[in-house]
Amino acid sequence: MVDYKLLHALATVVECGGFERAGDMMGLSQSAISQRIKALEVRLGQPVLVRHPTLAPTPAGQRLLAHYQQVQLLERDLHEALPTLEKAAPRLRIAINADSVVTWWADAVADICQSEGVLMDLVIEDQDVGLKRLRDGDVAACLCATPQPIAGARCLHVGDMHYQPLASPSYVARYFPDGPSLNAFQHAPAIVFGPHDQLQHQFLAQWGYQGYFPYHLCPSSEGFVRLAAAGIGYGMIPQRQAAESLQSGQLVSIAPGHGLTVPLYWHFWRHSGQLIQRLTERLSHLTL
């Protein structure tokens, strides 16, 4: 039998990225957390964590984490059926892209959070890499651009996000006076969300440009728009997020009529319980 006290320690260490912070969250000493992880490894007969160069679950640890995520959700269903059991507020750990959080996500999940007392733990990941978190057992569900579900999981297409290459009018006049060109792309500073963000590369590929381009890194959706509006660079911004700035003329497209459409897929484990099912049902009726 699995000792879920030990699994809880493993999940907290991975979530916090270290033993000390995990101990603080659980109200235990770092030594006590280490002992629980060691006890789990002794019982399993193999390591559950890789300590170097960075802390990460082993394949066995990933399997245990995925199992623990599903058990947590199924236990919530048991509490609903047997209300006399002690019940904690359900917490959903979800990998999601920042652009969804800053545009439509809050409206989509507000009623479920309010009616069911759900606490969300959102892990911000680019839409191209979020599925790895689910595969590693770090999250209960994820929203990403990958249509192929992993083994034991399902996926649902929830809609598409439309991006435009936007910048300030002064920036466009300076770097793109004659519109997009290979020479302009080579010299015009872009804005990229993070090292895994491929939207800029996909846009440039539409124009046949595959080479180097200067860019700023800005892992903040709000900051991303502010940098573009300040004339610091151009970037791929969700049309929904930029609507007011486009209407006011604060932002304009460097290539009118061109952009990117990114599909979003909701991935979740098959046996995730009724809460995930209700959230999935809610997402299935979205209009992005």
Side-chain angles (χ1 to χ4, degrees):
M1 295 294 293
V2 177
D3 187 336
Y4 287 94
K5 179 176 65 177
L6 305 183
L7 288 190
H8 178 48
L10 173 63
T12 307
V13 168
V14 172
E15 179 181 338
C16 295
F19 287 79
E20 185 174 355
R21 287 199 295 175
D24 292 340
M25 178 174 287
M26 295 180 65
L28 298 171
S29 67
Q30 181 177 345
S31 175
I33 294 293
S34 296
Q35 290 174 13
R36 291 191 180 188
I37 298 300
K38 184 177 180 179
L40 181 60
E41 292 178 330
V42 169
R43 180 168 298 186
L44 193 64
Q46 58 183 298
V48 296
L49 287 173
V50 175
R51 274 73 168 179
H52 302 287
T54 58
L55 188 70
T58 64
Q62 293 171 9
R63 291 288 300 272
L64 289 173
L65 288 169
H67 172 76
Y68 183 69
Q69 290 281 353
Q70 294 174 72
V71 167
Q72 291 291 97
L73 292 167
L74 292 173
E75 278 193 354
R76 184 181 187 279
D77 295 345
L78 183 61
H79 285 305
E80 289 185 353
L82 302 172
T84 55
L85 289 174
E86 183 180 355
K87 180 179 179 181
R91 175 174 290 275
L92 277 182
R93 186 167 168 84
I94 297 170
I96 186 172
N97 62 310
D99 291 334
S100 290
V101 174
V102 82
T103 52
W104 60 269
W105 176 257
D107 292 336
V109 302
D111 55 347
I112 288 181
C113 288
Q114 293 167 8
S115 63
E116 306 204 24
V118 177
L119 301 175
M120 289 190 299
D121 185 356
L122 301 180
V123 180
I124 304 301
E125 287 284 10
D126 286 312
Q127 58 262 23
D128 292 324
V129 299
L131 191 59
K132 183 180 183 299
R133 291 275 192 172
L134 184 67
R135 184 183 295 110
D136 290 349
D138 186 31
V139 297
C142 83
L143 192 72
C144 67
T146 306
Q148 184 64 39
I150 61 178
R154 295 176 178 172
C155 76
L156 167 74
H157 178 230
V158 300
D160 302 319
M161 291 197 71
H162 304 285
Y163 290 80
Q164 293 186 29
L166 304 179
S168 68
S170 61
Y171 178 93
V172 174
R174 179 181 180 185
Y175 289 100
F176 296 95
D178 301 316
S181 69
L182 300 186
N183 182 64
F185 289 140
Q186 187 176 6
H187 297 94
I191 308 171
V192 175
F193 185 83
H196 300 294
D197 181 8
Q198 292 296 305
L199 292 181
Q200 192 71 37
H201 300 77
Q202 294 172 25
F203 170 72
L204 292 176
Q206 289 183 348
W207 298 86
Y209 187 81
Q210 303 285 346
Y212 166 82
F213 61 92
Y215 61 89
H216 306 279
L217 282 176
C218 179
S220 162
S221 289
E222 297 87 347
F224 199 103
V225 174
R226 289 179 66 88
L227 290 181
I232 293 175
Y234 77 101
M236 304 304 296
I237 300 176
Q239 183 173 320
R240 185 169 179 172
Q241 183 183 7
E244 292 184 6
S245 297
L246 287 168
Q247 186 174 5
S248 68
Q250 189 178 26
L251 290 175
V252 296
S253 175
I254 68 166
H258 294 270
L260 289 174
T261 296
V262 177
L264 292 177
Y265 296 89
W266 173 246
H267 292 258
F268 58 98
W269 296 112
R270 285 198 181 99
H271 306 294
S272 294
Q274 297 179 15
L275 177 58
I276 287 289
Q277 290 178 11
R278 287 193 285 271
L279 180 55
T280 300
E281 177 67 17
R282 176 72 181 87
L283 295 177
S284 70
H285 294 93
L286 282 180
T287 303
L288 297 187

